[in-house]
């Protein structure tokens, strides 16, 4: 092989490698949950979290995250139906979820996905990806202790 041919073939090989790297780096963002977020950001099955209702969630609209579960007071009284518990991590890409009381929805701090307190999707992420509904966990009240179980 002559020097000119070798340089041309080397240049073509480098160009192919660079093009491949460019295409993979510019690919579409995954719509799937991150690999480190099994359950789409939900907590492992059997996980429990509790809130002391004598000191926490005292007013309608109050929220708190405990053990990756987002607790929200939706009504007065201490019956389990006065509260909602959802996953606290967005199923899209793992952003933290917060309850926005003024608008009565849950929002992701990462890409602004929005959800109802029943877990339904109100708005998809603003990065062009897609999300899935939030996991909602059953609640029990015993005395002043509110407990959610995944």
């Amino acid at each position: 092989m002559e020097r000119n041919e070798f340089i041309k073939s080397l240049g073509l090989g480098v160009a192919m490698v660079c093009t491949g790297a460019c295409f993979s780096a510019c690919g579409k963002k995954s719509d799937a949950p991150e690999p480190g977020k099994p359950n789409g950001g939900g907590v492992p099955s059997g996980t429990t979290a509790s809130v002391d209702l004598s000191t926490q969630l005292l007013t309608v609209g109050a929220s708190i995250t405990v053990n990756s579960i987002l607790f929200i007071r939706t009504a007065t009284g201490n019956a389990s139906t006065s509260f909602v518990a959802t996953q606290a991590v967005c199923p899209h890409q793992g952003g933290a979820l917060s309850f926005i009381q003024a608008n009565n929805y849950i929002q992701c701090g990462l890409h602004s996905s929005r959800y109802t307190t029943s877990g339904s999707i109100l708005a998809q992420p603003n990065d062009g990806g897609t999300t899935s509904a939030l996991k909602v966990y059953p609640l029990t009240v015993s005395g002043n202790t509110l407990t959610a179980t995944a």
Side-chain angles (χ1 to χ4, degrees):
M1 176 182 286
E2 289 189 23
R3 185 173 56 173
N4 259 354
E5 290 175 23
F6 175 75
I7 291 173
K8 283 181 185 177
S9 68
L10 181 63
L12 182 60
V14 169
M16 297 281 282
V17 168
C18 289
T19 301
C22 229
F23 282 138
S24 67
C26 297
K28 180 180 182 289
K29 288 186 180 184
S30 173
D31 292 338
E34 289 182 71
K37 306 282 186 228
N39 301 325
V43 296
S45 183
T47 299
T48 62
S50 297
V51 173
D52 181 353
L53 296 176
S54 65
T55 60
Q56 300 168 309
L57 301 177
L58 299 175
T59 60
V60 174
S63 64
I64 188 169
T65 297
V66 178
N67 206 16
S68 297
I69 296 176
L70 176 63
F71 289 89
I72 304 165
R73 179 182 279 275
T74 58
T76 58
N78 281 357
S80 61
T81 55
S82 297
F83 304 91
V84 171
T86 71
Q87 64 190 81
V89 176
C90 184
H92 170 55
Q93 288 189 346
L97 295 173
S98 302
F99 180 64
I100 310 300
Q101 179 181 3
N103 298 321
N104 198 37
Y105 58 66
I106 299 166
Q107 182 169 321
C108 174
L110 193 58
H111 295 114
S112 299
S113 302
R114 290 192 311 265
Y115 307 88
T116 65
T117 56
S118 63
S120 300
I121 301 166
L122 288 173
Q124 291 291 340
N126 62 13
D127 70 346
T130 58
T131 190
S132 57
L134 296 181
K135 290 178 172 53
V136 177
Y137 305 115
L139 294 166
T140 58
V141 176
S142 178
N144 281 329
T145 303
L146 175 68
T147 303
T149 305

